[in-house]
C-alpha cells in the first residue's frame, strides 16, 4: 500500500525544525530551507506552528501546470519529479494552492516524495505516514 505524509497533531509541534533538517540531509543539503516541508509560526503569542507538507492531491494542480512532463502522478497521490525534464519555470510552485512547493537555489522545485524520513526525527510525533 502506498503511504502519504500527514500532519497528525500540529499543536504538539515546538518548532524545532528537526523534520526539516532531516529532509534537507536526505536531499543532500544541510539547510532546512531546502526541505520539502515547512514549519513556521502561526503568529502572535500563541506559540503554535503551521506545518506545510504536500497534500498528495489525487488531481495535482502542480502536475497540470507543468507543460514539460517533469511531474507525473504518484501512486497514492501527489507527484514524482523528473529533474531531467524540468525547465525551472516555477509553474508547479505557483499552481500549488497550499504553497508546499518551493524552488531550490538552482531553480528546481523541491517536491515531497512522502518517504517518511522526516517522521523519524519529529520528537513529538506531529507528522506521520499514513496508508492510503
Amino acid at each position: 500500500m502506498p503511504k502519504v505524509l500527514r500532519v497528525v497533531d500540529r499543536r504538539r509541534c515546538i518548532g524545532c525544525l528537526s523534520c526539516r533538517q532531516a529532509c534537507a540531509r536526505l536531499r543532500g543539503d544541510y539547510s532546512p530551507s531546502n526541505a520539502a516541508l515547512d514549519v513556521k509560526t502561526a503568529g502572535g503569542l500563541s506559540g503554535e506552528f503551521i506545518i506545510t507538507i504536500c497534500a498528495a492531491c489525487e488531481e495535482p494542480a502542480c502536475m497540470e501546470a507543468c507543460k514539460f512532463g517533469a511531474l507525473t502522478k504518484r501512486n497514492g497521490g501527489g507527484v514524482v519529479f523528473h529533474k531531467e525534464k524540468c525547465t525551472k519555470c516555477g509553474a508547479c510552485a505557483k499552481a500549488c494552492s497550499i504553497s508546499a512547493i518551493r524552488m531550490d537555489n538552482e531553480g528546481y522545485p523541491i517536491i515531497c516524495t512522502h518517504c517518511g524520513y522526516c517522521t523519524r526525527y519529529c520528537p513529538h510525533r506531529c507528522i506521520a505516514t499514513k496508508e492510503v
Side-chain angles (χ1 to χ4, degrees):
M1 295 290 290
K3 293 185 178 186
V4 295
L5 192 60
R6 294 286 186 234
V7 176
V8 178
D9 188 351
R10 76 176 182 96
R11 293 172 296 167
R12 291 187 276 188
C13 181
I14 61 170
C16 69
L17 304 183
S18 294
C19 57
R20 290 188 76 194
Q21 187 67 48
C23 179
R25 269 195 324 266
L26 185 66
R27 295 184 69 250
D29 197 319
Y30 293 97
S31 172
S33 65
N34 286 316
L37 70 161
D38 193 19
V39 178
K40 59 186 171 190
T41 181
L45 300 173
S46 68
E48 291 187 4
F49 292 88
I50 297 170
I51 304 167
T52 305
I53 54 176
C54 173
C57 302
E58 287 296 322
E59 299 297 326
C62 58
M63 181 185 77
E64 295 297 324
C66 180
K67 303 302 179 200
F68 302 96
L71 300 175
T72 55
K73 205 174 221 183
R74 179 185 170 274
N75 186 20
V79 295
V80 175
F81 176 57
H82 306 280
K83 189 174 184 175
E84 70 280 358
K85 295 181 179 181
C86 182
T87 63
K88 306 178 188 179
C89 69
C92 55
K94 292 176 190 149
C96 181
S97 62
I98 62 169
S99 300
I101 300 174
R102 287 172 309 289
M103 307 304 279
D104 69 13
N105 294 337
E106 295 178 16
Y108 290 105
I110 302 170
I111 307 281
C112 179
T113 62
H114 296 273
C115 68
Y117 186 73
C118 56
T119 64
R120 299 178 198 168
Y121 295 90
C122 179
H124 297 285
R125 309 268 187 257
C126 303
I127 52 177
T129 52
K130 303 284 184 180
E131 286 188 7
V132 287

